[in-house]
Amino acid sequence: SILLSTSGSTGSPKCVRLSNANLASNAQSIATYLEITESDRGVVSLPVHYSYGLSIVNSHLWAGATLLLTDKSMIEPEFWAFCREHQATSFGGVPHSYELLARIDFAEKAPSSLRYFTQAGGRLDKPLIERFAHIAADHGWRFFVMYGQTEASPRIAWLPPALTLTHLGSIGVAIPGGHLSVQDDDGHPLPTGTQGELVYEGPNVMMGYALTTADLALGQGSTQ
């Protein structure tokens, strides 16, 4: 259905092959745990060719919600004026977004309609997680720290807001329909508290990588 470029942890650019089923399952999962409804009005301030930005679009469309599109930065007064004018209920940001937000009093600028805000796209420093979790709690909002990869369409895990302060730095629990486990080098499950490889399984896992045009003809789970 779509090819999204990623370098992952290797630094070697490649394309992730995602099917309609991959995208639809992840959109439904995200809409489920964020409790997105037709009344929501989510701001899309991230590029939609970026998997996180695209997931905001897809999850809102899945729920029949409204999308608010802007190219303004979160630190610009025009961004918050836009949010207030259109009664935004949510926005999402990467770690750099929250580093910028820490420089302004966004709680004062945020619209009264705000319901929640999300963070993904890399690890956010614990002090910033704690800071924004407290801001959210003080204003009746919810702050969702999430973990994902483009290869998973892209969401893998989310940390329930009620656990944010007691589990700082945790990626949380698997998204609805997904499964997380810790395994040894042979693929065997390890007991709780044992260090190993984190393995995610779910219908949102990519079809495989595409390094050349020939790879576009490969089926599910095939990689040359």
Short mmCIF file of all heavy atoms in Angstrom, two decimals, residues 145-204:
data_model
loop_
_atom_site.label_atom_id
_atom_site.label_comp_id
_atom_site.label_asym_id
_atom_site.label_seq_id
_atom_site.Cartn_x
_atom_site.Cartn_y
_atom_site.Cartn_z
N VAL A 145 2.98 8.72 26.41
CA VAL A 145 4.31 8.41 25.90
C VAL A 145 4.20 7.10 25.14
O VAL A 145 3.71 6.10 25.68
CB VAL A 145 5.34 8.29 27.04
CG1 VAL A 145 6.70 7.87 26.49
CG2 VAL A 145 5.46 9.62 27.78
N MET A 146 4.67 7.10 23.88
CA MET A 146 4.47 5.93 23.03
C MET A 146 5.80 5.47 22.43
O MET A 146 6.76 6.23 22.36
CB MET A 146 3.49 6.26 21.91
CG MET A 146 2.18 6.86 22.40
SD MET A 146 0.98 7.18 21.07
CE MET A 146 1.88 8.39 20.08
N TYR A 147 5.83 4.23 22.01
CA TYR A 147 7.02 3.66 21.36
C TYR A 147 6.60 3.00 20.06
O TYR A 147 5.58 2.30 20.01
CB TYR A 147 7.70 2.64 22.27
CG TYR A 147 8.82 1.87 21.59
CD1 TYR A 147 10.02 2.50 21.28
CD2 TYR A 147 8.67 0.54 21.25
CE1 TYR A 147 11.05 1.80 20.65
CE2 TYR A 147 9.69 -0.17 20.63
CZ TYR A 147 10.87 0.47 20.32
OH TYR A 147 11.87 -0.22 19.68
N GLY A 148 7.38 3.23 19.02
CA GLY A 148 7.04 2.61 17.75
C GLY A 148 8.22 2.58 16.79
O GLY A 148 9.29 3.12 17.08
N GLN A 149 8.01 1.93 15.68
CA GLN A 149 8.98 1.89 14.59
C GLN A 149 8.21 1.90 13.28
O GLN A 149 7.07 1.39 13.22
CB GLN A 149 9.84 0.62 14.67
CG GLN A 149 10.72 0.54 15.90
CD GLN A 149 11.53 -0.75 15.96
OE1 GLN A 149 11.34 -1.65 15.15
NE2 GLN A 149 12.43 -0.82 16.91
N THR A 150 8.80 2.46 12.25
CA THR A 150 8.15 2.49 10.95
C THR A 150 7.76 1.07 10.52
O THR A 150 6.72 0.86 9.89
CB THR A 150 9.09 3.12 9.89
OG1 THR A 150 9.47 4.42 10.33
CG2 THR A 150 8.40 3.23 8.55
N GLU A 151 8.57 0.10 10.90
CA GLU A 151 8.31 -1.29 10.54
C GLU A 151 7.03 -1.83 11.17
O GLU A 151 6.55 -2.91 10.79
CB GLU A 151 9.49 -2.18 10.97
CG GLU A 151 10.77 -1.96 10.18
CD GLU A 151 11.64 -0.83 10.70
OE1 GLU A 151 11.15 0.01 11.49
OE2 GLU A 151 12.83 -0.80 10.32
N ALA A 152 6.45 -1.10 12.12
CA ALA A 152 5.23 -1.55 12.80
C ALA A 152 4.05 -0.62 12.51
O ALA A 152 3.09 -0.60 13.26
CB ALA A 152 5.45 -1.67 14.29
N SER A 153 4.15 0.14 11.49
CA SER A 153 3.03 0.93 10.92
C SER A 153 2.50 2.14 11.69
O SER A 153 1.41 2.60 11.33
CB SER A 153 1.86 0.01 10.62
OG SER A 153 2.22 -1.11 9.87
N PRO A 154 3.02 2.76 12.71
CA PRO A 154 4.32 2.48 13.34
C PRO A 154 4.25 2.17 14.83
O PRO A 154 5.27 2.05 15.47
CB PRO A 154 5.03 3.82 13.16
CG PRO A 154 3.93 4.81 13.44
CD PRO A 154 2.66 4.17 12.93
N ARG A 155 3.07 2.07 15.42
CA ARG A 155 3.02 2.01 16.88
C ARG A 155 3.16 0.58 17.40
O ARG A 155 2.55 -0.35 16.87
CB ARG A 155 1.70 2.63 17.39
CG ARG A 155 1.75 3.16 18.79
CD ARG A 155 2.75 4.27 19.00
NE ARG A 155 2.58 5.37 18.05
CZ ARG A 155 3.57 5.89 17.33
NH1 ARG A 155 4.80 5.40 17.43
NH2 ARG A 155 3.35 6.88 16.51
N ILE A 156 3.93 0.42 18.48
CA ILE A 156 4.17 -0.87 19.12
C ILE A 156 3.65 -0.88 20.55
O ILE A 156 3.01 -1.84 20.98
CB ILE A 156 5.67 -1.21 19.11
CG1 ILE A 156 6.13 -1.55 17.69
CG2 ILE A 156 5.98 -2.37 20.06
CD1 ILE A 156 7.62 -1.79 17.56
N ALA A 157 3.92 0.19 21.30
CA ALA A 157 3.57 0.21 22.72
C ALA A 157 3.16 1.61 23.15
O ALA A 157 3.48 2.60 22.50
CB ALA A 157 4.75 -0.27 23.57
N TRP A 158 2.44 1.66 24.27
CA TRP A 158 2.03 2.95 24.85
C TRP A 158 2.00 2.82 26.36
O TRP A 158 1.77 1.74 26.91
CB TRP A 158 0.65 3.36 24.33
CG TRP A 158 -0.47 2.43 24.76
CD1 TRP A 158 -0.69 1.14 24.33
CD2 TRP A 158 -1.50 2.71 25.71
NE1 TRP A 158 -1.79 0.61 24.95
CE2 TRP A 158 -2.31 1.55 25.79
CE3 TRP A 158 -1.82 3.83 26.47
CZ2 TRP A 158 -3.43 1.49 26.63
CZ3 TRP A 158 -2.93 3.76 27.31
CH2 TRP A 158 -3.73 2.59 27.37
N LEU A 159 2.31 3.94 27.03
CA LEU A 159 2.33 3.96 28.49
C LEU A 159 1.05 4.63 28.98
O LEU A 159 0.85 5.82 28.74
CB LEU A 159 3.55 4.72 28.98
CG LEU A 159 3.77 4.79 30.49
CD1 LEU A 159 3.90 3.39 31.09
CD2 LEU A 159 5.02 5.62 30.81
N PRO A 160 0.16 3.90 29.65
CA PRO A 160 -1.05 4.52 30.18
C PRO A 160 -0.70 5.73 31.03
O PRO A 160 0.19 5.65 31.89
CB PRO A 160 -1.68 3.39 31.02
CG PRO A 160 -1.20 2.14 30.36
CD PRO A 160 0.20 2.45 29.93
N PRO A 161 -1.35 6.87 30.81
CA PRO A 161 -1.01 8.10 31.54
C PRO A 161 -0.98 7.94 33.06
O PRO A 161 -0.17 8.59 33.73
CB PRO A 161 -2.11 9.07 31.09
CG PRO A 161 -2.47 8.61 29.72
CD PRO A 161 -2.39 7.11 29.79
N ALA A 162 -1.82 7.09 33.60
CA ALA A 162 -1.86 6.90 35.05
C ALA A 162 -0.57 6.28 35.58
O ALA A 162 -0.28 6.36 36.78
CB ALA A 162 -3.05 6.02 35.43
N LEU A 163 0.24 5.68 34.69
CA LEU A 163 1.47 5.02 35.11
C LEU A 163 2.72 5.82 34.75
O LEU A 163 3.83 5.39 35.05
CB LEU A 163 1.56 3.63 34.46
CG LEU A 163 0.43 2.64 34.76
CD1 LEU A 163 0.66 1.35 33.99
CD2 LEU A 163 0.33 2.38 36.25
N THR A 164 2.53 6.96 34.11
CA THR A 164 3.68 7.71 33.59
C THR A 164 4.67 8.08 34.69
O THR A 164 5.89 7.89 34.53
CB THR A 164 3.22 8.99 32.88
OG1 THR A 164 2.33 8.63 31.81
CG2 THR A 164 4.40 9.74 32.29
N LEU A 165 4.20 8.61 35.80
CA LEU A 165 5.09 9.08 36.86
C LEU A 165 5.72 7.94 37.66
O LEU A 165 6.81 8.10 38.22
CB LEU A 165 4.34 10.03 37.80
CG LEU A 165 3.96 11.37 37.17
CD1 LEU A 165 3.08 12.18 38.12
CD2 LEU A 165 5.21 12.17 36.80
N THR A 166 5.06 6.80 37.72
CA THR A 166 5.61 5.67 38.47
C THR A 166 6.46 4.76 37.60
O THR A 166 7.17 3.89 38.11
CB THR A 166 4.48 4.84 39.11
OG1 THR A 166 3.56 4.41 38.08
CG2 THR A 166 3.73 5.66 40.14
N HIS A 167 6.41 4.96 36.28
CA HIS A 167 7.19 4.13 35.36
C HIS A 167 7.91 5.01 34.35
O HIS A 167 7.82 4.79 33.13
CB HIS A 167 6.29 3.12 34.64
CG HIS A 167 5.73 2.05 35.53
ND1 HIS A 167 4.74 2.30 36.45
CD2 HIS A 167 6.03 0.73 35.63
CE1 HIS A 167 4.45 1.18 37.09
NE2 HIS A 167 5.22 0.22 36.61
N LEU A 168 8.61 6.03 34.84
CA LEU A 168 9.32 6.96 33.96
C LEU A 168 10.31 6.21 33.07
O LEU A 168 11.13 5.43 33.56
CB LEU A 168 10.07 8.01 34.78
CG LEU A 168 9.24 9.14 35.40
CD1 LEU A 168 10.11 10.00 36.30
CD2 LEU A 168 8.59 9.99 34.31
N GLY A 169 10.22 6.46 31.76
CA GLY A 169 11.16 5.84 30.83
C GLY A 169 10.68 4.52 30.26
O GLY A 169 11.30 3.99 29.34
N SER A 170 9.58 3.99 30.78
CA SER A 170 9.06 2.72 30.28
C SER A 170 8.35 2.94 28.95
O SER A 170 7.74 3.99 28.72
CB SER A 170 8.08 2.12 31.29
OG SER A 170 7.40 0.99 30.73
N ILE A 171 8.40 1.93 28.05
CA ILE A 171 7.64 2.03 26.81
C ILE A 171 6.19 1.61 27.03
O ILE A 171 5.36 1.78 26.15
CB ILE A 171 8.25 1.18 25.67
CG1 ILE A 171 8.16 -0.32 26.00
CG2 ILE A 171 9.68 1.60 25.41
CD1 ILE A 171 8.52 -1.21 24.81
N GLY A 172 5.89 1.04 28.20
CA GLY A 172 4.50 0.71 28.52
C GLY A 172 4.09 -0.69 28.13
O GLY A 172 4.87 -1.64 28.26
N VAL A 173 2.89 -0.79 27.60
CA VAL A 173 2.31 -2.09 27.24
C VAL A 173 2.09 -2.15 25.74
O VAL A 173 2.06 -1.13 25.05
CB VAL A 173 0.97 -2.30 27.97
CG1 VAL A 173 1.18 -2.32 29.48
CG2 VAL A 173 -0.04 -1.21 27.59
N ALA A 174 1.91 -3.35 25.23
CA ALA A 174 1.67 -3.53 23.79
C ALA A 174 0.34 -2.90 23.40
O ALA A 174 -0.61 -2.86 24.19
CB ALA A 174 1.67 -5.01 23.44
N ILE A 175 0.28 -2.39 22.18
CA ILE A 175 -0.97 -1.82 21.67
C ILE A 175 -2.02 -2.92 21.55
O ILE A 175 -1.68 -4.11 21.49
CB ILE A 175 -0.75 -1.14 20.31
CG1 ILE A 175 -0.33 -2.19 19.26
CG2 ILE A 175 0.28 -0.03 20.41
CD1 ILE A 175 -0.32 -1.66 17.84
N PRO A 176 -3.30 -2.58 21.51
CA PRO A 176 -4.34 -3.59 21.32
C PRO A 176 -4.09 -4.42 20.06
O PRO A 176 -3.80 -3.86 18.99
CB PRO A 176 -5.61 -2.75 21.18
CG PRO A 176 -5.33 -1.51 21.95
CD PRO A 176 -3.86 -1.23 21.71
N GLY A 177 -4.14 -5.73 20.20
CA GLY A 177 -3.90 -6.62 19.08
C GLY A 177 -2.45 -7.03 18.90
O GLY A 177 -2.13 -7.88 18.08
N GLY A 178 -1.55 -6.41 19.69
CA GLY A 178 -0.13 -6.73 19.60
C GLY A 178 0.35 -7.51 20.81
O GLY A 178 -0.36 -7.62 21.82
N HIS A 179 1.55 -8.05 20.73
CA HIS A 179 2.10 -8.83 21.84
C HIS A 179 3.59 -8.56 21.97
O HIS A 179 4.33 -8.59 20.98
CB HIS A 179 1.88 -10.32 21.60
CG HIS A 179 2.47 -11.20 22.66
ND1 HIS A 179 1.97 -11.29 23.95
CD2 HIS A 179 3.54 -12.03 22.63
CE1 HIS A 179 2.69 -12.12 24.66
NE2 HIS A 179 3.65 -12.59 23.88
N LEU A 180 4.05 -8.27 23.18
CA LEU A 180 5.45 -8.06 23.48
C LEU A 180 5.98 -9.19 24.36
O LEU A 180 5.29 -9.66 25.27
CB LEU A 180 5.66 -6.73 24.22
CG LEU A 180 5.57 -5.44 23.40
CD1 LEU A 180 5.51 -4.24 24.32
CD2 LEU A 180 6.76 -5.33 22.45
N SER A 181 7.19 -9.63 24.08
CA SER A 181 7.82 -10.65 24.91
C SER A 181 9.32 -10.43 24.91
O SER A 181 9.87 -9.76 24.02
CB SER A 181 7.50 -12.06 24.40
OG SER A 181 8.01 -12.24 23.08
N VAL A 182 9.99 -10.97 25.91
CA VAL A 182 11.46 -10.93 25.97
C VAL A 182 11.95 -12.35 25.72
O VAL A 182 11.52 -13.29 26.40
CB VAL A 182 11.94 -10.41 27.33
CG1 VAL A 182 13.47 -10.44 27.40
CG2 VAL A 182 11.44 -9.00 27.57
N GLN A 183 12.83 -12.50 24.75
CA GLN A 183 13.26 -13.83 24.32
C GLN A 183 14.78 -13.95 24.35
O GLN A 183 15.50 -12.95 24.31
CB GLN A 183 12.75 -14.13 22.91
CG GLN A 183 11.23 -14.07 22.78
CD GLN A 183 10.73 -14.36 21.37
OE1 GLN A 183 11.52 -14.70 20.48
NE2 GLN A 183 9.43 -14.22 21.16
N ASP A 184 15.25 -15.19 24.38
CA ASP A 184 16.69 -15.44 24.30
C ASP A 184 17.12 -15.50 22.84
O ASP A 184 16.31 -15.30 21.93
CB ASP A 184 17.09 -16.69 25.07
CG ASP A 184 16.44 -17.98 24.52
OD1 ASP A 184 16.02 -17.97 23.34
OD2 ASP A 184 16.37 -18.97 25.26
N ASP A 185 18.38 -15.81 22.61
CA ASP A 185 18.91 -15.82 21.24
C ASP A 185 18.28 -16.88 20.36
O ASP A 185 18.33 -16.79 19.12
CB ASP A 185 20.43 -16.04 21.27
CG ASP A 185 21.18 -14.85 21.88
OD1 ASP A 185 20.59 -13.74 21.90
OD2 ASP A 185 22.32 -15.04 22.34
N ASP A 186 17.66 -17.89 20.98
CA ASP A 186 17.02 -18.97 20.22
C ASP A 186 15.52 -18.75 20.05
O ASP A 186 14.82 -19.61 19.53
CB ASP A 186 17.26 -20.31 20.92
CG ASP A 186 18.74 -20.68 20.96
OD1 ASP A 186 19.44 -20.42 19.94
OD2 ASP A 186 19.20 -21.19 21.99
N GLY A 187 15.03 -17.58 20.51
CA GLY A 187 13.61 -17.29 20.34
C GLY A 187 12.72 -17.86 21.41
O GLY A 187 11.50 -17.92 21.25
N HIS A 188 13.30 -18.28 22.55
CA HIS A 188 12.50 -18.83 23.64
C HIS A 188 12.15 -17.73 24.64
O HIS A 188 13.02 -16.91 24.98
CB HIS A 188 13.26 -19.96 24.36
CG HIS A 188 13.60 -21.10 23.46
ND1 HIS A 188 14.87 -21.61 23.35
CD2 HIS A 188 12.83 -21.81 22.60
CE1 HIS A 188 14.88 -22.61 22.49
NE2 HIS A 188 13.65 -22.74 22.02
N PRO A 189 10.91 -17.70 25.13
CA PRO A 189 10.50 -16.67 26.11
C PRO A 189 11.32 -16.76 27.39
O PRO A 189 11.67 -17.85 27.85
CB PRO A 189 9.02 -17.02 26.37
CG PRO A 189 8.59 -17.81 25.18
CD PRO A 189 9.80 -18.59 24.75
N LEU A 190 11.64 -15.60 27.94
CA LEU A 190 12.40 -15.53 29.19
C LEU A 190 11.49 -15.08 30.32
O LEU A 190 10.51 -14.36 30.10
CB LEU A 190 13.56 -14.54 29.04
CG LEU A 190 14.67 -14.94 28.07
CD1 LEU A 190 15.64 -13.79 27.85
CD2 LEU A 190 15.42 -16.17 28.59
N PRO A 191 11.78 -15.48 31.55
CA PRO A 191 10.95 -15.08 32.69
C PRO A 191 11.07 -13.59 32.98
O PRO A 191 12.03 -12.94 32.59
CB PRO A 191 11.50 -15.93 33.85
CG PRO A 191 12.91 -16.26 33.44
CD PRO A 191 12.88 -16.39 31.95
N THR A 192 10.09 -13.07 33.70
CA THR A 192 10.06 -11.65 34.08
C THR A 192 11.33 -11.27 34.83
O THR A 192 11.81 -12.01 35.70
CB THR A 192 8.84 -11.38 34.97
OG1 THR A 192 7.66 -11.70 34.24
CG2 THR A 192 8.79 -9.91 35.37
N GLY A 193 11.90 -10.12 34.47
CA GLY A 193 13.10 -9.63 35.13
C GLY A 193 14.39 -10.09 34.50
O GLY A 193 15.47 -9.72 34.96
N THR A 194 14.28 -10.90 33.43
CA THR A 194 15.47 -11.40 32.75
C THR A 194 15.76 -10.55 31.52
O THR A 194 14.87 -10.18 30.77
CB THR A 194 15.25 -12.87 32.30
OG1 THR A 194 14.87 -13.65 33.43
CG2 THR A 194 16.53 -13.43 31.69
N GLN A 195 17.04 -10.23 31.32
CA GLN A 195 17.42 -9.43 30.17
C GLN A 195 17.48 -10.28 28.91
O GLN A 195 17.97 -11.41 28.93
CB GLN A 195 18.78 -8.77 30.41
CG GLN A 195 19.22 -7.83 29.30
CD GLN A 195 20.49 -7.07 29.63
OE1 GLN A 195 20.89 -7.02 30.79
NE2 GLN A 195 21.13 -6.51 28.64
N GLY A 196 16.97 -9.74 27.82
CA GLY A 196 16.99 -10.47 26.56
C GLY A 196 16.59 -9.56 25.42
O GLY A 196 16.69 -8.34 25.52
N GLU A 197 16.11 -10.14 24.34
CA GLU A 197 15.69 -9.38 23.17
C GLU A 197 14.19 -9.12 23.23
O GLU A 197 13.40 -10.05 23.42
CB GLU A 197 16.04 -10.13 21.88
CG GLU A 197 15.68 -9.34 20.63
CD GLU A 197 16.09 -10.06 19.35
OE1 GLU A 197 16.23 -11.30 19.37
OE2 GLU A 197 16.26 -9.39 18.32
N LEU A 198 13.80 -7.85 23.06
CA LEU A 198 12.38 -7.50 23.05
C LEU A 198 11.80 -7.84 21.67
O LEU A 198 12.31 -7.37 20.65
CB LEU A 198 12.20 -6.01 23.35
CG LEU A 198 10.76 -5.50 23.40
CD1 LEU A 198 10.01 -6.10 24.58
CD2 LEU A 198 10.75 -3.98 23.50
N VAL A 199 10.75 -8.63 21.66
CA VAL A 199 10.14 -9.07 20.40
C VAL A 199 8.69 -8.62 20.36
O VAL A 199 7.93 -8.81 21.32
CB VAL A 199 10.21 -10.61 20.26
CG1 VAL A 199 9.48 -11.07 19.00
CG2 VAL A 199 11.66 -11.07 20.22
N TYR A 200 8.31 -7.99 19.26
CA TYR A 200 6.92 -7.56 19.07
C TYR A 200 6.29 -8.38 17.95
O TYR A 200 6.91 -8.62 16.91
CB TYR A 200 6.84 -6.08 18.71
CG TYR A 200 5.42 -5.66 18.38
CD1 TYR A 200 4.50 -5.40 19.40
CD2 TYR A 200 4.99 -5.57 17.07
CE1 TYR A 200 3.19 -5.06 19.10
CE2 TYR A 200 3.68 -5.22 16.76
CZ TYR A 200 2.79 -4.97 17.78
OH TYR A 200 1.48 -4.66 17.48
N GLU A 201 5.03 -8.78 18.17
CA GLU A 201 4.25 -9.51 17.16
C GLU A 201 2.88 -8.86 17.04
O GLU A 201 2.28 -8.47 18.05
CB GLU A 201 4.10 -10.98 17.57
CG GLU A 201 5.41 -11.72 17.76
CD GLU A 201 5.21 -13.07 18.43
OE1 GLU A 201 4.82 -14.03 17.72
OE2 GLU A 201 5.41 -13.16 19.66
N GLY A 202 2.39 -8.72 15.81
CA GLY A 202 1.07 -8.14 15.62
C GLY A 202 0.76 -7.97 14.14
O GLY A 202 1.65 -8.04 13.28
N PRO A 203 -0.50 -7.72 13.81
CA PRO A 203 -0.92 -7.56 12.41
C PRO A 203 -0.39 -6.30 11.75
O PRO A 203 -0.54 -6.14 10.53
CB PRO A 203 -2.45 -7.53 12.51
CG PRO A 203 -2.72 -7.01 13.89
CD PRO A 203 -1.64 -7.59 14.75
N ASN A 204 0.22 -5.42 12.51
CA ASN A 204 0.77 -4.17 11.97
C ASN A 204 2.23 -4.29 11.55
O ASN A 204 2.82 -3.34 11.06
CB ASN A 204 0.63 -3.02 12.97
CG ASN A 204 1.22 -3.35 14.33
OD1 ASN A 204 0.98 -4.41 14.89
ND2 ASN A 204 2.01 -2.44 14.88
#
